[in-house]
Each structure stands twice: as structure tokens, then as C-alpha cells.
Amino acid sequence: MQHGKYRFIVGFLALPLAMYALFVVWPFIQSIYYSFTDWTGLSPEFQAVGFGNYRRMLEDAIFWKSLQHSLWLVLLLPLVTLGLALFFAFMINVGGRRRKNAVVAGVRGSSFYKIAYFFPQVLSIAIVALLFQFAFNPNDGMINSALAAVGLDHVQPNWLGDPDLALYCVMAVLVWSTVGFFVVLFSAGMASIPRDFYEAALLDGAGRFTTFFRITLPLLWDTVQSGWVYMGILALGAEAFATVQIMTVGPGGPDYSTTVLPLYVYQTAFRDGQAAYATTIGVALLIVTLAFAAIVMRLGRRERLEF
């Protein structure tokens, strides 16, 4: 029976593992191999150059700028997004005033708020980036027009054209477009927490602040940790690339102020025709992503709570 069981498991997993190895693992191996060559991506001929691409990368000022911007995104974006999502989800589910039929309830209109927060998720990131590109227009964009309407004509920033503001504008768009997903995710987690816990805490005189940090957050910690890793990968991946590519001038902003690692990989490979060097930057991006995930999982490790 045991032999038949293992044969069934191997037969069941063989095809998925083979496809995963072919379409995921093998491209990674190819990228690492090409990073040691001078392949242009336009010709089948190339030569090995050893660690030449890696030495060039370490001396590349644009690479270090891109890495710095990506690290800013990976540190700030999960913090702001998950913090807002936890606050909104808590208020929607258990942060409302006590009512006649329920000791613990969300704020009034919580169903509407869930739909409103989730709405950006139904929009493509390309559409979101285009909409905010128009909104940040310094001449007739919605934001500057609103400032002028309330008498702040002298406050008219060149949002995406200012090297000090452009990256924060990108962050704001990414927060707006992703926070709704985590509001719904955390709301589902909070809905599974027994209301008896909150009622007992309220009887003991605990307030919202205490119940959040002593009940809600510990019981949602696994979900928050997974969300942190997901947001970090998003900040280092396609979402950040698409937003910067569509929204900012260049693209990459004035003086490379919004250039992130995925965008620099794309530009190096398809604009400059330096595929081997692009794969070298891609290897660095892979290392940063794995290091981030490992650090979050290690620092966020705690005893599992069951209820």
C-alpha cells in the first residue's frame, strides 16, 4: 500500500513539477548563464566575459540609484499599505459603536466601504497609471486644479517632474491601487475571529487600541506576514515597473529619480540591446527579492496562535 501511495503521489506531481522546472527554474538558470556573457539579445553569437558584467554593475551609478529606489519602495510600500488596510478592515469589522443587537460591530455602511476600497482592484494597473498621470499634470491636472479651487494657487508642484516628489507620487498610486485587496483579505480574517474575544475584552474595559494590538493583530499575524512578502514582491516586480513606465517622464523620472530595478532591466535589454547586462541586473533583483522574503519570514516568526 505504501509503495502504491508514493507511486500515485509521484505520478500526480510529475507533470506540474516538470512544467515548473521548464518554465520557471530553467529561465532562471539561463539568465544566470547569460549574465557571464556579452550577449546582446539580437544575435545568437556571444562570448563568455566572466564577472565583467558584475564588475560593471557595481560601478554603475544608475544601478545604485535604481536599487535605492526599489529598496525605498520595498520598505515603505508594505508598511503604509498594510497599515492602512489593517486600520480600515478593523473599523469595518469591529471598530464601530455598540448597537442594540450587537456588542461588537463595524462602522455604519461597512458593506459600501468594502466595495469602495476594493474598486481599484478591478482596474488594470495601466489604466490606474494613466488616470493618475493626468491627475498629476502640473498645468490642468485634477490635483493642482483642486488646490487652486481652495485658494492655494501658490502651491502648484510639478509632481512627476520634481525629482524630490516623483517617487512618492508613484508610491501613492501603488498604495491606492492595492490597499483594497488587503482590506478585503484582512476583513475575511477578522470575520473568523470569535466575537466572544472582543466582548470579553470590552467587559474588562479594553478600548479599540488595546483590542487591536492584543487580539486582532496577533490572530491575523500569519496573514499580515504573507501580505508583507506579497507587497515586497509587488514593489520589486511588475506593478512598480508598469506604474513608473507609464506615469513618469523618460520614463524613469527626471535624473533617474523614479528608475527602479525592473525598469532598468527592461531599458537595458530592449532599449540599449544589452541583454547580458540586463540579466546581470535581473540576478541582483532576484537576490534582493529572496533576501527580503527571507528577512520578513525570519523576523516575523512567532508562536502560532490557534482559536
Side-chain angles (χ1 to χ4, degrees):
M1 290 294 293
Q2 292 293 325
H3 178 70
K5 180 181 72 173
Y6 291 130
R7 185 166 57 186
F8 171 77
I9 294 174
V10 171
F12 186 77
L13 294 178
L15 182 59
L17 289 176
M19 294 182 66
Y20 182 82
L22 178 63
F23 294 108
V24 178
V25 177
W26 179 241
F28 279 119
I29 296 174
Q30 282 185 309
S31 298
I32 295 172
Y33 169 71
Y34 284 129
S35 69
F36 293 100
T37 69
D38 62 355
W39 184 46
T40 64
L42 304 174
S43 170
E45 298 179 359
F46 55 86
Q47 295 179 347
V49 296
F51 288 92
N53 288 323
Y54 290 92
R55 287 192 293 268
R56 174 186 172 186
M57 182 180 68
L58 295 177
E59 298 171 356
D60 187 350
I62 301 176
F63 165 76
W64 288 110
K65 271 193 172 184
S66 304
L67 177 61
Q68 180 183 358
H69 298 154
S70 290
L71 291 179
W72 268 114
L73 286 177
V74 85
L75 290 174
L76 293 180
L77 194 60
L79 181 65
V80 176
T81 303
L82 298 183
L84 287 174
L86 282 169
F87 172 75
F88 292 147
F90 183 77
M91 295 304 294
I92 287 173
N93 288 273
V94 296
R97 294 181 179 273
R98 183 179 302 185
R99 300 175 192 170
K100 295 180 180 179
N101 299 327
V103 177
V104 179
V107 296
R108 294 188 182 277
S110 57
S111 299
F112 168 77
Y113 290 133
K114 287 181 182 180
I115 297 173
Y117 291 139
F118 191 76
F119 174 73
Q121 289 294 309
V122 305
L123 300 176
S124 165
I125 188 62
I127 296 175
V128 171
L130 280 173
L131 290 175
F132 275 93
Q133 184 187 46
F134 294 133
F136 283 122
N137 189 300
N139 298 319
D140 54 0
M142 181 185 68
I143 298 176
N144 279 359
S145 297
L147 291 174
V150 295
L152 296 176
D153 305 71
H154 59 285
V155 182
Q156 297 285 311
N158 185 8
W159 298 99
L160 297 176
D162 188 339
D164 297 326
L165 294 176
L167 186 62
Y168 293 103
C169 293
V170 172
M171 286 187 190
V173 173
L174 289 172
V175 170
W176 184 87
S177 64
T178 55
V179 69
F181 170 79
F182 290 101
V183 170
V184 174
L185 180 66
F186 294 150
S187 293
M190 291 178 191
S192 66
I193 298 175
R195 288 294 188 265
D196 296 345
F197 292 0
Y198 293 106
E199 293 174 1
L202 292 173
L203 289 175
D204 290 337
R208 293 178 181 174
F209 185 86
T210 302
T211 55
F212 176 78
F213 284 100
R214 294 301 181 91
I215 298 176
T216 306
L217 189 58
L219 294 178
L220 279 182
W221 186 252
D222 289 343
T223 305
V224 173
Q225 186 182 43
S226 300
W228 203 287
V229 174
Y230 175 80
M231 280 301 303
I233 295 174
L234 181 148
L236 292 169
E239 296 281 327
F241 161 75
T243 308
V244 173
Q245 171 76 4
I246 295 171
M247 280 184 58
T248 61
V249 295
D255 193 27
Y256 300 99
S257 59
T258 60
T259 302
V260 290
L261 285 177
L263 177 65
Y264 194 38
V265 170
Y266 172 82
Q267 291 176 335
T268 304
F270 298 102
R271 183 192 64 186
D272 303 335
Q274 302 176 23
Y277 185 48
T279 60
T280 306
I281 303 170
V283 171
L285 177 59
L286 171 64
I287 294 172
V288 171
T289 305
L290 293 178
F292 169 79
I295 291 172
V296 170
M297 298 302 291
R298 180 67 181 87
L299 295 180
R301 184 183 302 170
R302 58 164 54 187
E303 183 179 353
R304 185 179 182 87
L305 298 177
E306 297 183 358
F307 56 93

